Amino acid sequence: MNSRVALLAAVAAPLILGACQKTVTTHLPQGSAAYDAIAVAPEVANPAVYSLRAGDRIDVSVFREKDFSAQKVLVDVSGNIALPMLGTIPAAGMTQDELAANIRDRLAASFLRDPRVTVSVETPALLTVSVEGEVEQPGVYEMQPGYTLLSAIAMARSTTDRAKVDQVLVFRTVNGERLGARFDLAMIRAGRAPDPVILPGDVVVVGYSQVRGVFQDFLKTAPLLNIFYRY
């Protein structure tokens, strides 16, 4: 056997065997069922009234009661806030008026007569989406309402050459329940499937194509070994 051919066989064999190895599969809904799997009510996707969430900083003002007021109070990862005299109370998921009413009731029960309480958002939490897997720049990205799956992929500088574009997973948590679905990015890019809306807190994972990965490894290795040459 020619030495060049032998070298090619030695390089290609492990790559081909790698392509035959079992890959991780997913049983998440796909096709039309994928859109139903992560669907949320319109009022959840585009709420008419702002609900407080972890990461918000709020101002709590009690009329003529500076000792009970507080500024730039953080809604922590557990959804709670800490206030003078009242301690830790829940806030995430409430509107500003609902939280103000809750604080008013607590103050009236123990400290003040007919307190007047207002709550305002001083700094809203960033809206973010996480993009992982076979994208050029995985990370957590700031987003705006109305962003789609293609928007999220674009922020991560698109998919890599190794990406399995028919296995793009979207994970979403709604009311404590984790939802997931699988989408075909090629179909979406071609306009043959809808581009699903991404919500704050979603996690997008682009799968790895072992066949493409092996092919890319082969292309990177071959020139180093002078397997391809001019003639």
Side-chain angles (χ1 to χ4, degrees):
M1 180 183 289
N2 180 296
S3 60
R4 189 183 300 278
V5 174
L7 187 56
L8 173 58
V11 171
L15 298 178
I16 294 171
L17 288 173
C20 297
Q21 292 176 353
K22 184 177 180 180
T23 59
V24 177
T25 59
T26 177
H27 299 292
L28 291 176
Q30 56 184 308
S32 60
Y35 298 87
D36 294 334
I38 62 170
V40 296
E43 58 269 23
V44 174
N46 297 290
V49 180
Y50 186 86
S51 294
L52 299 171
R53 60 182 181 274
D56 285 342
R57 287 192 178 273
I58 63 175
D59 291 338
V60 177
S61 176
V62 183
F63 185 62
R64 292 183 176 176
E65 296 289 348
K66 184 177 291 186
D67 290 342
F68 291 93
S69 300
Q71 293 183 323
K72 298 183 179 180
V73 180
L74 176 67
V75 181
D76 65 24
V77 293
S78 298
N80 300 320
I81 59 173
L83 293 178
M85 310 301 291
L86 293 180
T88 301
I89 63 175
M94 294 184 179
T95 66
Q96 296 164 68
D97 288 345
E98 288 171 341
L99 179 58
N102 188 347
I103 295 171
R104 182 179 63 244
D105 291 345
R106 290 168 182 261
L107 290 173
S110 303
F111 300 101
L112 302 173
R113 176 189 243 174
D114 192 24
R116 284 184 276 175
V117 181
T118 57
V119 172
S120 58
V121 178
E122 195 273 337
T123 306
L126 291 177
L127 304 179
T128 60
V129 57
S130 299
V131 188
E132 305 174 2
E134 290 300 315
V135 289
E136 293 294 346
Q137 293 184 15
V140 178
Y141 294 92
E142 184 177 356
M143 59 170 288
Q144 298 297 326
Y147 272 28
T148 65
L149 180 56
L150 287 182
S151 304
I153 297 296
M155 288 190 291
R157 303 297 185 268
S158 197
T159 54
T160 69
D161 292 336
R162 302 166 183 258
K164 188 171 177 59
V165 293
D166 65 344
Q167 189 167 298
V168 177
L169 312 181
V170 176
F171 296 99
R172 173 173 300 164
T173 301
V174 179
N175 296 326
E177 181 183 7
R178 195 176 190 223
L179 311 175
R182 169 182 167 184
F183 296 93
D184 188 331
L185 199 61
M187 295 283 284
I188 296 171
R189 283 170 169 167
R192 297 171 61 189
D195 187 10
V197 172
I198 294 298
L199 300 183
D202 281 357
V203 177
V204 177
V205 182
V206 179
Y208 171 77
S209 171
Q210 199 156 30
V211 173
R212 287 189 178 192
V214 168
F215 182 64
Q216 290 301 318
D217 288 342
F218 176 77
L219 291 182
K220 291 175 182 177
T221 305
L224 297 177
L225 298 175
N226 282 326
I227 294 173
F228 299 111
Y229 57 94
R230 294 185 180 184
Y231 60 92

